[in-house]
Amino acid sequence: FMVVSGVTVIAAGAVQSATTLLKFVISPVVGAMTNSKNGREMTFGSILQSFGWLPWIVSSAPVLVPFSAIVWTIGSHFYQTGLASRWYGCRSIAGIAAREVMLGTGRIICLLCLVPVLSFSPYFYALFAFALGVVTIVYTQSYLRQTAVPVPQKIPVVIDRTE
């Protein structure tokens, strides 16, 4: 996407290197949010991933790449870490293997769908990516409601000390 949008290959590589460093820096925050087990990291991540595409719907200036890449990277890191934590935390070996197969299949399908869109127009690619991000936000909320662990209610205990 970056190269098609007019960013040089060297600049795209520099952005990718910087985003890798960024993931390393924000990992403690992502880990703390993920350990809280309330799903905020997945919601936050899906919102950031989606909104990282908004500037590309308005403008195709290559100067937007570093800023959007930062938002995409942070969003992706939050979302993927939360999702992986949930899957690996409560699944069997067969379930984990099935997840990996599904992720691989999904990536191939997206690749086959998005490459033609990208070659047609970076604008439509960004629009499609934003729409996919919105679907991810809705899916995340639905997933979190379905997998919510009920919080035990505190029942007041009355101790009779008259005896």
Side-chain angles (χ1 to χ4, degrees):
F1 175 76
M2 288 189 244
V3 174
V4 172
S5 299
V7 176
T8 65
V9 174
I10 293 174
V15 168
Q16 286 302 110
S17 296
T19 57
T20 301
L21 179 62
L22 179 63
K23 282 183 181 181
F24 178 75
V25 170
I26 66 167
S27 285
V29 176
V30 175
M33 264 181 124
T34 301
N35 287 339
S36 70
K37 304 280 188 223
N38 61 10
R40 289 181 310 174
E41 75 287 345
M42 291 175 63
T43 302
F44 181 65
S46 57
I47 289 169
L48 284 179
Q49 280 181 306
S50 183
F51 285 101
W53 289 102
L54 278 179
W56 292 97
I57 295 172
V58 180
S59 171
S60 62
V63 73
L64 294 174
V65 169
F67 304 108
S68 291
I70 288 170
V71 176
W72 297 328
T73 298
I74 293 172
S76 175
H77 196 44
F78 272 93
Y79 186 80
Q80 294 298 329
T81 303
L83 186 62
S85 172
R86 279 173 175 57
W87 264 90
Y88 290 116
C90 60
R91 298 284 185 235
S92 65
I93 298 295
I96 293 170
R99 174 189 184 267
E100 296 302 325
V101 169
M102 288 187 293
L103 285 175
T105 304
R107 288 179 181 125
I108 291 170
I109 291 169
C110 282
L111 182 68
L112 294 174
C113 293
L114 290 178
V115 168
V117 172
L118 180 58
S119 62
F120 176 68
S121 167
Y123 169 78
F124 286 114
Y125 181 86
L127 193 62
F128 184 83
F130 175 75
L132 188 61
V134 171
V135 168
T136 304
I137 293 168
V138 172
Y139 167 76
T140 299
Q141 294 307 306
S142 170
Y143 174 76
L144 291 174
R145 275 193 296 277
Q146 291 173 358
T147 61
V149 176
V151 177
Q153 298 295 324
K154 292 184 179 180
I155 301 172
V157 176
V158 179
I159 300 173
D160 186 14
R161 296 188 184 232
T162 57
E163 295 178 10

